[in-house]
Amino acid sequence: MEFVATCPKGFESLLAGELHSLGAEGVRPLVGQVSFTGSLADAYRCCLWSRLASNVTLVLARVGAANADQLYEGLSAIPWEDHVAPGATMAIEARGTNEQLRNTQFVALRSKDAVADRLLSRRGARPLVNTDAPDVGIVVRLSRERALVGIDLTGEPLFNRSWESAAAGRGRLAPRRADYAAALLEAGCWFRDVRHGSPVLVNLFPGTGSVAVEAASQALDRAPGLLRVRWGFSRWAGHDADAWDALAAEAADRAEAGVENSVELLLCDSRPGAEAAARRALRAADMDVEPRFLSPGELAATVGDGSPLLVADLAWPQPDDLASEAEALSLFSAGVGAVARHDGAGVVALSPDDAANAAAGGGPVEAIDVILGRDEATIRCYDPMSLSTEHPLVELRGNAGSVPVLVGASDQFAARLAKVAKLRAKWAAREDVSCYRVYDADLPDYAVSIDLYRGSETPGRWLYVSEYAAPKDVNAGLARRRLLDVLAIAPRVLDVDPANVHVRVRTRARGGSQYADGGREGRAATRDGMARDTRLGRRRDGHVELPRGAHLVDEGGLTFEVNFSERLDCGLFLDHRETRAMVRELMKRTPGGSFLNLFAYTGTASCYASDGGAGLTTTVDLSRPSLDWARRNMERNGFVGRNHEFIQADVLQWVADRRHEHRYTWDLVFCDVPTFSNSNRMHTSSWDVQRDHADLIISVSRLLSRGGCAIFSCNLRSFKPDIETLEKAGVELADITAKTIPEDFSRNPKIHHAYLVTRREDGITARELGL
């Protein structure tokens, strides 16, 4: 008999080897499948024991399929009465198309008609169709002008193990399919280790435990299909029950004897819920094996004698989760070092790119390209004996230990970071600053900024790492490996949990709107007829609720909400620390005065103004979520009531409207503008700070009360104010940038520009204001 076993793309050679070891003959790897010959018992054995096949099909015939009529005639000639028993249900699975047969549903329908008409002519009755759980599954696979027709012997795919649903639980870990776990073990020659006795598996990032279960199953000689209840051949008319019963009994005997076998599972995964998920999977699969979960520091000391196989799943981080990727690669590097000193050890990694090679210290001896969902990945097999014995390892100062890195020069970054972090910590303690910039591209090759945030009400430390776009002449792969080293080293040096490291990659492209929008609107009329948000943050036991992923930090005696995971910016621009303090001091000049915050974002300047004695604050932004955030910040600091307005509006249009009304003025205005914006909710087509700033500054000056002033700020490094146009409009502009740059941003004084705006007729100077 001829059979075809299907598999994921890339598994063909692995599956061919497995089928050969199971006694199949004539094994021939194809694309996405492996054909073989043998008896029906041989096919049953493959169904029961194969860990890599998706399903097994008994080939009945190959028929012409140049068009629908030819396909119909070919299927009508097959003796279906020998395969579909009277009263049995059936279903057709059609795959593939050709020039004439372009729709698989039509192919399935035409094939069903052929089978049904054949049975009608032989029995006088048409079979029933059951697409959910048919008694007989018929496979029709088109390839050019031919079609393979066969019986599906497996039914539900073989990679759906019986234990997976019970092991899933409610965790957030993405499961790795059982056949992919088996492929990693097959590539690493785990079966060889099992046959030699006392196998040791070191599994990094086991996730929901698929690799651990598959490894234990092989070690205990447990057939992966032993607990399976339903098979595709069970109600097929050609089923050989005696042959199957003999194979099932043999598998049960082997499983019973295999309980005496030994296997050591050493698992390491820092993700929440990983240990519970792996243990749950082993219990659900009825594996009487107790795994040992290790911390990264325990790897080298725990891997004892023997020839361990290291299996690392490095494909779990999302493409933009660089902090997790750095942690994974660093642990993989440490794991390679732990097993490399053992004779006969093996290393296998599932990774999305070649960064794993740098972490391993050399290239793989074999690489198998596979598909994970819609993404490409590679199973990489390494020979520990051929890997570099001088794998980069950065020794950290103090008791911080060492960190495996991808680039040897990263030791310079580690030394520099440790030095500046120590100096910055002393400065922060002296100045009572809890959130500050630690590092800002001190070394050109490591062009990142690192901000440290410390929690206020609840303890916690978070790192916000921003990468500056590398020059075009810098190799992109090298730049990425440097960034991954930064993300591995920084949390160790700064004593931050790697899970609390957040990354943003900067580009030189002009962005769209400054802030994202979303949420629902809640509005009421304001004193000027515009929409004003009257909703206060929800309270629980007297406190404002904290949104998902948010934390509270202190600055200048005030408390602010930050969020590193839900938004592009965390909610507190550290470079404006001095500017906000300046707003508070200027507000003290006019106790009970009015303050206007334009492009307000999270309203931190409104909080400072209120703390300085503002009797009225008006906070304006286009983004509803930002206004909600600003309102929560104000309420947490005790600034509530109808004298604090939150207005959702296009700031440019709103300022223009207020300017022409001549009804309302403010004593102090803070205007921190985006560099560029093209939100489709703006009245103007776009905003460009260099092109449009003069009109905005002039409009803002018209909103100032007599003797009032404004602070205008932007972060375009090349910004040049249009002094001539402003002077013609009677606007005085004084550059106060130097007074607004905090000490921790002194390396980068162009982080922003700041100007004091006054009206010439008022005759107020920056010096008179203490600036």
Side-chain angles (χ1 to χ4, degrees):
M1 293 181 174
E2 180 185 359
F3 305 92
V4 171
T6 62
C7 64
K9 184 180 179 181
F11 284 26
E12 296 89 354
S13 61
L14 297 175
L15 176 57
E18 180 188 56
L19 294 177
H20 184 76
S21 68
L22 292 174
E25 300 177 352
V27 177
R28 187 162 63 100
L30 302 170
V31 178
Q33 59 187 8
V34 177
S35 67
F36 65 97
T37 59
S39 66
L40 193 56
D42 292 329
Y44 286 167
R45 185 179 298 104
C46 293
C47 289
L48 183 60
W49 287 93
S50 177
R51 302 177 187 277
L52 300 172
S54 299
N55 59 48
V56 178
T57 298
L58 165 63
V59 179
L60 298 181
R62 286 180 171 81
V63 301
N67 53 53
D69 292 339
Q70 191 179 64
L71 176 66
Y72 179 91
E73 292 298 329
L75 267 75
S76 297
I78 298 174
W80 292 109
E81 59 275 13
D82 296 337
H83 302 284
V84 182
T89 60
M90 71 170 193
I92 306 289
E93 179 196 4
R95 291 188 179 182
T97 59
N98 58 29
E99 186 175 349
Q100 294 297 320
L101 300 173
R102 302 179 180 180
N103 186 288
T104 55
Q105 290 182 339
F106 174 74
V107 171
L109 179 62
R110 194 63 172 151
S111 300
K112 184 264 297 181
D113 290 342
V115 176
D117 290 347
R118 166 84 186 205
L119 292 175
L120 177 64
S121 67
R122 295 298 190 275
R123 295 178 180 159
R126 298 173 66 89
L128 298 176
V129 174
N130 183 346
T131 57
D132 294 328
D135 293 328
V136 180
I138 299 173
V139 177
V140 178
R141 292 196 181 96
L142 267 62
S143 177
R144 298 179 181 176
E145 296 185 352
R146 301 286 291 174
L148 179 150
V149 183
I151 300 296
D152 178 9
L153 298 180
T154 56
E156 188 178 4
L158 292 176
F159 53 73
N160 289 342
R161 309 285 201 253
S162 58
W163 53 266
E164 289 178 315
S165 58
R170 298 181 179 179
R172 295 183 178 181
L173 297 174
R176 184 65 66 215
R177 224 168 68 177
D179 53 344
Y180 280 81
L184 288 168
L185 293 166
E186 184 73 17
C189 300
W190 175 247
F191 183 67
R192 176 204 61 193
D193 296 342
V194 168
R195 293 185 63 183
H196 284 81
S198 302
V200 178
L201 175 73
V202 181
N203 187 195
L204 306 183
F205 305 105
T208 56
S210 297
V211 172
V213 170
E214 289 297 314
S217 176
Q218 289 191 47
L220 302 182
D221 204 16
R222 184 79 59 84
L226 184 62
L227 301 180
R228 193 181 185 91
V229 176
R230 183 181 177 86
W231 292 93
F233 53 72
S234 299
R235 297 191 177 183
W236 166 53
H239 173 44
D240 186 344
D242 291 338
W244 171 252
D245 290 342
L247 288 169
E250 178 196 19
D253 291 341
R254 289 174 60 176
E256 184 176 353
V259 173
E260 303 299 326
N261 297 346
S262 65
V263 60
E264 186 173 10
L265 302 179
L266 305 177
L267 312 183
C268 186
D269 196 330
S270 60
R271 291 174 291 174
E275 180 173 355
R279 294 186 187 279
R280 188 166 54 243
L282 287 164
R283 288 196 302 270
D286 195 27
M287 299 295 164
D288 188 17
V289 178
E290 190 66 26
R292 297 177 60 190
F293 260 81
L294 311 175
S295 68
E298 294 174 324
L299 269 178
T302 307
V303 179
D305 298 330
S307 303
L309 173 64
L310 172 67
V311 176
D313 187 344
L314 305 178
W316 60 268
Q318 296 297 315
D320 57 348
D321 190 1
L322 294 174
S324 294
E325 183 178 355
E327 179 186 4
L329 290 171
S330 181
L331 181 57
F332 175 54
S333 183
V336 171
V339 303
R341 52 191 173 85
H342 296 274
D343 293 336
V347 175
V348 179
L350 177 64
S351 66
D353 53 49
D354 60 2
N357 296 346
V365 294
E366 182 181 9
I368 303 171
D369 294 329
V370 297
I371 301 294
L372 290 178
R374 296 183 178 180
D375 302 321
E376 297 180 352
T378 304
I379 297 176
R380 303 171 189 272
C381 307
Y382 301 91
D383 177 7
M385 298 300 294
S386 66
L387 300 179
S388 174
T389 57
E390 299 179 358
H391 191 61
L393 193 69
V394 171
E395 296 293 338
L396 303 178
R397 297 181 179 180
N399 297 322
S402 60
V403 177
V405 293
L406 308 179
V407 180
S410 293
D411 60 344
Q412 301 176 28
F413 165 77
R416 177 66 181 179
L417 179 61
K419 178 179 179 181
V420 297
K422 183 177 181 179
L423 296 175
R424 196 70 74 208
K426 290 182 178 179
W427 164 83
R430 185 171 63 251
E431 299 294 329
D432 193 24
V433 174
S434 60
C435 305
Y436 54 91
R437 177 152 294 184
V438 181
Y439 174 94
D440 197 353
D442 296 43
L443 301 179
D445 286 345
Y446 294 81
V448 299
S449 63
I450 302 176
D451 297 332
L452 174 64
Y453 292 79
R454 290 187 296 179
S456 55
E457 294 185 2
T458 56
R461 293 164 67 90
W462 302 273
L463 290 185
Y464 200 49
V465 181
S466 298
E467 181 194 32
Y468 297 101
K472 293 182 179 179
D473 59 345
V474 174
N475 180 272
L478 177 59
R480 186 168 179 273
R481 289 194 293 273
R482 287 171 175 161
L483 175 60
L484 292 172
D485 281 354
V486 167
L487 299 176
I489 292 170
R492 296 283 295 275
V493 172
L494 299 173
D495 190 26
V496 174
D497 187 332
N500 291 341
V501 178
H502 304 272
V503 189
R504 183 177 67 173
V505 177
R506 298 179 180 178
T507 65
R508 291 187 173 80
R510 300 168 92 188
S513 301
Q514 185 181 14
Y515 310 117
D517 186 33
R520 298 181 178 179
E521 299 178 357
R523 304 181 183 181
T526 67
R527 59 174 184 161
D528 56 5
M530 291 299 296
R532 179 171 68 85
D533 195 316
T534 59
R535 299 176 303 169
L536 295 179
R538 293 179 296 169
R539 289 177 173 271
R540 178 182 295 171
D541 299 330
H543 297 284
V544 180
E545 288 190 3
L546 199 61
R548 180 184 65 180
H551 310 279
L552 297 181
V553 298
D554 289 339
E555 182 191 89
L558 300 170
T559 300
F560 297 110
E561 173 188 315
V562 295
N563 196 317
F564 307 105
S565 57
E566 298 295 322
R567 301 293 295 273
L568 179 62
D569 293 301
C570 71
L572 184 65
F573 296 132
L574 299 184
D575 63 299
H576 271 309
R577 189 187 311 113
E578 298 296 331
T579 314
R580 288 187 286 268
M582 187 180 294
V583 166
R584 177 163 51 192
E585 295 305 313
L586 287 173
M587 205 66 248
K588 289 179 181 179
R589 295 174 55 251
T590 54
S594 56
F595 173 73
L596 173 61
N597 191 0
L598 301 175
F599 301 100
Y601 191 28
T602 59
T604 53
S606 299
C607 294
Y608 269 85
S610 299
D611 197 45
L616 170 70
T617 65
T618 304
T619 303
V620 187
D621 200 283
L622 183 59
S623 166
R624 170 62 55 188
S626 294
L627 284 176
D628 291 342
W629 198 336
R631 187 179 56 255
R632 292 194 299 270
N633 276 336
M634 289 284 282
E635 188 177 358
R636 280 196 182 88
N637 290 287
F639 307 126
V640 297
R642 295 189 175 275
N643 57 329
H644 299 294
E645 300 176 325
F646 301 89
I647 300 174
Q648 182 184 10
D650 172 7
V651 175
L652 301 177
Q653 186 64 41
W654 187 88
V655 169
D657 292 344
R658 302 293 82 70
R659 171 185 177 181
H660 295 301
E661 288 179 1
H662 303 291
R663 290 193 295 164
Y664 304 109
T665 58
W666 286 266
D667 298 312
L668 177 62
V669 178
F670 179 60
C671 184
D672 182 24
V673 299
T675 298
F676 181 80
S677 181
N678 61 356
S679 171
N680 56 15
R681 293 182 297 136
M682 294 174 57
H683 288 72
T684 57
S685 59
S686 66
W687 155 266
D688 185 296
V689 65
Q690 187 60 67
R691 181 190 68 199
D692 303 322
H693 73 276
D695 288 342
L696 176 60
I697 291 176
I698 292 170
S699 295
V700 168
S701 72
R702 303 305 189 252
L703 301 182
L704 295 175
S705 61
R706 185 170 183 81
C709 63
I711 296 177
F712 176 85
S713 175
C714 73
N715 59 4
L716 178 64
R717 295 196 174 199
S718 59
F719 178 73
K720 299 292 182 184
D722 187 351
I723 300 296
E724 182 179 352
T725 299
L726 294 173
E727 287 182 346
K728 288 180 180 179
V731 177
E732 294 285 350
L733 204 68
D735 190 341
I736 59 172
T737 302
K739 296 181 180 295
T740 65
I741 302 297
E743 170 65 25
D744 47 327
F745 286 84
S746 58
R747 278 188 52 83
N748 185 14
K750 292 184 179 181
I751 187 69
H752 67 244
H753 297 273
Y755 301 88
L756 182 70
V757 180
T758 57
R759 294 188 302 193
R760 184 179 300 169
E761 62 190 64
D762 292 339
I764 299 176
T765 65
R767 177 172 296 181
E768 291 173 335
L769 295 175
L771 304 179

